[in-house]
Amino acid sequence: MDINRIDVAVLGLGGMGKTHVEAAKASPYVGKIYGYEPEHERAVSRGKELEIETTSNLDSILGNPKIKLVYIAAINAVHAELTDKELRAGKAVLCEKPMGETLAEARFMIKAEKDTGNFLQIGFEARYSTLYTTAKAWIDAGLIGRPVNCHCRYYCSEFHKKNTWRSNSSGTLIGEKLSHYLDLQRWFMGDEVDEVFSMNSPNVVDYFNHPDNHQINMRFRNGAVSNLNFIMFIGETDHSDPLLEMIDKQSDDGHHLQYYIFGTKGAIETDVFRRRIRRWEFSDSPEQLVSKIVETIRFPKEEDQTWFHNVHGQNLRIAELVAKGMKPEVSAKNAYETMRVGFAAEISEREKRIVKIAEIC
Ligand SMILES: NC(=O)c1ccc[n+]([C@@H]2O[C@H](COP(=O)([O-])OP(=O)(O)OC[C@H]3O[C@@H](n4cnc5c(N)ncnc54)[C@H](O)[C@@H]3O)[C@@H](O)[C@H]2O)c1
């Protein structure tokens, strides 16, 4: 069968840009790969390291009709502007989360997608990760009944460091990190959020330009509730982003990334640092409700990336979708709904009140 190969470009050639380049190299649907960095010297040095042709002239990417798909892996502050330019130049776009740093930027991206009708998907790759696709399949098969309550706790070390774009950013960790985990909660619960109440305590990490901890509570339209609890300073092992390279010591040194999804007939736990997913089944007895663990799946370290951080798998799929002229698997509008929850949480923390999602439009 003939494969329609497309040329692609990766904008922003840092850590995540490298992951995007590697996925493009592995795709049978990708022909030539171009890279872009705004500073000439960095474009040249990253081009050599990644073994691709690079440029510091964005117009050469925008004006090249053979480039059909652009991966945006630049810093968050330029996501909206780059997405707008690329969509209006006729390209399909996979943009890393978050959809900009402000509600106005997220709306700007949605407008560009609506105006052009072009392909835009946001990089919420957790929806391609086996840990979470397994949980979702169990929920959809009715194995826990109706999901009514969901908890996520994510505790990690401080790995954003002093004086980086991440620690200096005025955009919060809710967009930069937690948007993935809010997105999964919407996906698992299968409903839209109605209202949000979020709190944060004074910082431990005083050199962050934003809070280092969040407790985000959500109520869904159907009455289900969920909670996301994030702290960035307890994990003892400081070893870069643990989700990019997880080491065994992190499984019991204060790192946690767990979901508990409670339904009317059972429950699911996903546990990144213990490399497992489990399921409970509830039944009745004359005395009480009875709960039993009926399924446990473990995965080896070698499969970490596909189990909880499957950018590679997501990107292989995106290249295939675009080469075949298909639509995004997860719409930009769906990602925007997750961003609305995040912005509502930011307002709730600032104004110390419950925020209705309907306010964020
Ligand atoms: N999906 C995920 O799980 C995941 C994981 C890590 C990072 N990310 C996202 O990927 C993006 C990049 O993160 P990273 O870890 O690679 O950061 P990084 O600091 O390693 O790389 C950012 C790159 O962007 C470049 N850049 C700066 N201004 C630019 C501009 N105007 N145009 C193009 N490039 C520009 C920088 O020179 C740098 O090479 C961020 O949006 C981040 O949120 C997503």
Side-chain angles (χ1 to χ4, degrees):
M1 197 181 63
D2 277 352
I3 285 185
N4 174 29
R5 281 172 178 262
I6 52 169
D7 289 354
V8 304
V10 179
L11 313 187
L13 300 172
M16 193 43 58
K18 178 172 187 269
T19 303
H20 286 286
V21 167
E22 282 165 1
K25 284 183 180 172
S27 168
Y29 293 93
V30 171
K32 193 157 180 190
I33 304 164
Y34 298 85
Y36 164 76
E37 274 281 335
E39 282 179 18
H40 175 72
E41 278 179 16
R42 180 158 170 80
V44 172
S45 69
R46 287 304 276 160
K48 278 193 190 130
E49 283 157 13
L50 301 173
E51 298 177 334
I52 56 169
E53 184 175 324
T54 55
T55 178
S56 52
N57 176 8
L58 188 62
D59 287 339
S60 72
I61 307 258
L62 293 165
N64 181 339
K66 286 193 172 169
I67 298 176
K68 304 288 185 204
L69 168 61
V70 170
Y71 299 97
I72 298 177
I75 55 172
N76 300 348
V78 296
H79 285 187
E81 169 198 334
L82 290 176
T83 298
D84 179 72
K85 283 188 175 150
E86 296 297 341
L87 286 174
R88 293 188 191 282
K91 317 294 184 196
V93 173
L94 181 279
C95 181
E96 272 302 339
K97 48 37 77 171
M99 292 179 83
E101 294 191 325
T102 62
L103 178 63
E105 287 179 359
R107 290 178 61 184
F108 188 63
M109 290 171 72
I110 287 291
K111 182 168 185 324
E113 186 241 15
K114 269 198 190 140
D115 288 353
T116 61
N118 286 337
F119 182 112
L120 173 62
Q121 188 163 331
I122 305 303
F124 285 133
E125 86 282 344
R127 290 196 187 207
Y128 290 82
S129 302
T130 316
L131 195 54
Y132 303 122
T133 54
T134 304
K136 177 68 173 162
W138 285 352
I139 294 167
D140 288 350
L143 298 182
I144 63 164
R146 187 164 73 86
V148 290
N149 197 316
C150 178
H151 296 195
C152 173
R153 68 166 170 164
Y154 186 1
Y155 308 158
C156 57
S157 59
E158 194 295 281
F159 59 85
H160 283 181
K161 315 287 191 224
K162 294 181 181 174
N163 270 325
T164 61
W165 66 263
R166 281 190 167 88
S167 53
N168 293 341
S169 168
S170 55
T172 67
L173 286 173
I174 297 178
E176 167 53 22
K177 282 215 74 62
L178 303 188
S179 52
H180 280 301
Y181 305 101
L182 295 173
D183 188 59
L184 284 178
Q185 286 182 325
R186 284 184 52 245
W187 195 43
F188 291 153
M189 301 312 268
D191 195 27
E192 289 304 345
V193 176
D194 179 38
E195 57 187 18
V196 177
F197 181 59
S198 189
M199 294 182 289
N200 63 288
S201 73
N203 272 23
V204 169
V205 187
D206 61 2
Y207 51 86
F208 277 6
N209 201 18
H210 42 64
D212 57 18
N213 70 97
H214 300 275
Q215 292 184 17
I216 307 176
N217 293 286
M218 291 156 268
R219 187 190 305 280
F220 291 79
R221 285 183 196 155
N222 65 11
V225 296
S226 71
N227 165 269
L228 171 52
N229 198 333
F230 176 75
I231 287 175
M232 196 169 195
F233 38 70
I234 182 183
E236 182 181 85
T237 314
D238 174 22
H239 185 69
S240 182
D241 181 344
L243 300 189
L244 294 178
E245 194 198 351
M246 201 173 101
I247 59 175
D248 286 335
K249 186 171 187 307
Q250 292 167 333
S251 67
D252 195 28
D253 77 344
H255 282 85
H256 290 281
L257 177 43
Q258 288 170 305
Y259 274 93
Y260 282 94
I261 310 155
F262 304 97
T264 49
K265 293 183 183 164
I268 296 168
E269 174 205 52
T270 63
D271 192 327
V272 162
F273 289 98
R274 291 185 182 82
R275 294 193 172 94
R276 78 174 176 216
I277 176 168
R278 302 192 287 176
R279 182 165 67 80
W280 287 254
E281 222 167 67
F282 304 153
S283 60
D284 199 12
S285 82
E287 292 82 30
Q288 65 189 115
L289 179 145
V290 178
S291 175
K292 210 172 163 41
I293 296 174
V294 291
E295 203 168 350
T296 302
I297 306 174
R298 296 176 194 280
F299 55 93
K301 179 172 173 51
E302 299 69 52
E303 294 176 17
D304 277 358
Q305 297 306 309
T306 48
W307 275 83
F308 57 80
H309 197 69
N310 196 11
V311 176
H312 193 82
Q314 166 196 264
N315 283 14
L316 291 181
R317 184 71 181 134
I318 298 286
E320 180 180 358
L321 291 173
V322 174
K324 291 181 174 170
M326 294 163 74
K327 289 191 178 316
E329 257 163 357
V330 185
S331 70
K333 173 77 173 53
N334 195 308
Y336 177 70
E337 291 303 323
T338 293
M339 295 301 299
R340 285 174 85 191
V341 176
F343 293 128
E346 289 177 358
I347 293 172
S348 176
E349 288 176 11
R350 263 198 321 270
E351 300 183 4
K352 299 182 173 40
R353 66 179 177 92
I354 293 174
V355 175
K356 285 274 183 196
I357 287 295
E359 293 178 38
I360 317 294
C361 55

